[in-house]
Amino acid sequence: MITSTIDSTINHSILSGVFAPASYITRWNINLTPAYATPSRAILSDVEDALIFLQSNGVVIEESPKIESFLTSNSGIIAHLYNVPQKIYRYFGDVSLKLGLFSDPDSPEDGAELFLEVETSLPPKQANDKLSQINRGWLLKSNNADLAFFNITLKFI
């Protein structure tokens, strides 16, 4: 019988630049050499980059530190945020957008959910139809489980 052992050290050169949840960073940083410290910080900068992108496209960010923390824990949402302004503007035109977190104080075990508020002056029926089109054509087609924590809401003005 032959027994082989595998070295349990982490090959950081393979991991540099890999998009992964921030929960892995703690493990990666245990034996992290200075040569790989910068690439590991790049994982966290993905959240900041996404929020900067949204702000540059007219999205108001509420409670940015809380949203950053939420996105770090639900990193699968980040890539989808780059599509948000384009999708909303295509269906609703030039509207105000606000990104925030919602937590039900009566059900803290449910956790927080990210929401995008779309301010619209469209009639409710028309606005709800457009929101349904976005859901069917984009959000529901995605197989990303993290998108279960992302909602688009309407605010009628």
Side-chain angles (χ1 to χ4, degrees):
M1 180 166 150
I2 298 175
T3 304
S4 65
T5 61
I6 298 174
D7 188 5
S8 65
T9 60
I10 298 171
N11 184 344
H12 292 284
S13 64
I14 292 173
L15 299 176
S16 65
V18 172
F19 179 73
S23 58
Y24 293 111
I25 291 175
T26 303
R27 175 69 181 119
W28 291 348
N29 284 334
I30 290 173
N31 297 315
L32 192 61
T33 61
Y36 298 109
T38 302
S40 71
R41 281 194 288 275
I43 295 169
L44 291 177
S45 72
D46 289 339
V47 172
E48 293 171 359
D49 291 347
L51 294 180
I52 290 168
F53 170 82
L54 290 173
Q55 287 174 323
S56 70
N57 281 277
V59 179
V60 175
I61 310 292
E62 288 187 337
E63 301 182 51
S64 187
K66 288 183 180 181
I67 290 177
E68 287 178 18
S69 175
F70 175 84
L71 289 173
T72 300
S73 300
N74 299 280
S75 60
I77 297 174
I78 296 170
H80 296 282
L81 292 177
Y82 289 97
N83 297 320
V84 166
Q86 172 194 16
K87 299 280 186 187
I88 300 299
Y89 295 144
R90 183 177 347 141
Y91 284 93
F92 287 93
D94 188 23
V95 294
S96 295
L97 303 175
K98 186 178 354 176
L99 189 69
L101 282 178
F102 173 77
S103 297
D104 185 357
D106 295 332
S107 299
E109 67 278 354
D110 290 343
E113 292 186 8
L114 191 66
F115 70 88
L116 179 75
E117 183 180 86
V118 179
E119 288 187 4
T120 180
S121 59
L122 293 173
K125 169 83 170 105
Q126 186 179 3
N128 282 318
D129 288 345
K130 290 182 182 286
L131 183 57
S132 293
Q133 290 173 353
I134 291 171
N135 285 330
R136 285 192 312 270
W138 175 45
L139 292 176
L140 296 177
K141 284 186 176 179
S142 173
N143 292 328
N144 192 320
D146 282 338
L147 282 180
F149 303 109
F150 178 68
N151 299 291
I152 300 175
T153 62
L154 300 173
K155 178 178 179 181
F156 297 97
I157 53 174

